[in-house]
Amino acid sequence: MKKQWYQRRVRGVLNYYTNYYYKSNLRMADEGLEEIRRKRMAEMQGDGGGGGGPGGADASKAMEQQQRQQEMKNNILSAILDQKARARLNTIAQVKPERAQKVEMMLCNMYQRRQISGKIGEAELVKMLEEISKTEPKSSKVNFDRRRVDLDSDSD
């Protein structure tokens, strides 16, 4: 009986301290988030509304125009690419964004010139990527630099 009481007491104390520890960590995390939010708000107010002049308005107009262009590009790409081709293009954008941008611009230009009749499949997209890769110079070079150690068995 005494042993069970002791075990319950120990569990209660452990629960108390673990809850206190987690709550204090959560409180610290909330304070960190609040500080980040304050800094970001200060940056936004400093960039956009701090000057009160036309500089903030120009920046917002440029940002809106860039968003509209991005939305237009996405609409065009969704209209001319099928699902698999779109997925491949997104994968390429993750690995090599500059190559994906070239393909996107090429596709948008072809669409605007009415050179595309239907949806482009994955095979046609791969052909376009191959064409682009032929025009780009090979710039990647890998150098293996092996460090020598006095105890190296290869030097015998």
Side-chain angles (χ1 to χ4, degrees), residues 1-13:
M1 189 74 148
K2 196 173 192 180
K3 187 177 178 181
Q4 291 173 349
W5 175 85
Y6 181 73
Q7 287 175 344
R8 276 187 271 145
R9 180 71 179 143
V10 168
R11 268 190 254 134
V13 170

Side-chain angles (χ1 to χ4, degrees), residues 40-143:
R40 186 162 293 174
M41 286 298 290
E43 288 175 4
M44 291 172 68
Q45 288 175 353
D47 291 344
D58 289 342
S60 65
K61 285 181 182 179
M63 186 171 278
E64 284 178 21
Q65 184 178 6
Q66 186 178 14
Q67 286 176 350
R68 272 189 259 126
Q69 287 176 349
Q70 183 72 24
E71 186 177 324
M72 238 173 38
K73 182 178 71 168
N74 286 336
N75 289 339
I76 291 172
L77 291 175
S78 63
I80 61 176
L81 293 175
D82 67 350
Q83 291 293 325
K84 288 184 180 180
R86 184 77 176 173
R88 182 175 283 258
L89 188 60
N90 288 337
T91 305
I92 292 167
Q94 293 292 320
V95 178
K96 296 187 177 181
E98 61 278 347
R99 184 172 288 180
Q101 286 176 351
K102 283 183 183 179
V103 172
E104 288 173 352
M105 291 306 297
M106 201 163 108
L107 288 169
C108 288
N109 289 337
M110 289 173 65
Y111 177 77
Q112 288 171 350
R113 293 183 199 147
R114 308 229 188 267
Q115 294 176 343
I116 298 174
S117 59
K119 288 214 176 226
I120 293 179
E122 188 176 8
E124 294 172 9
L125 185 67
V126 169
K127 287 180 186 175
M128 293 175 92
L129 288 167
E130 288 173 354
E131 289 175 14
I132 289 175
S133 66
K134 287 178 185 175
T135 60
E136 291 180 350
K138 295 265 182 176
S139 63
S140 62
K141 184 178 178 183
V142 178
N143 290 330

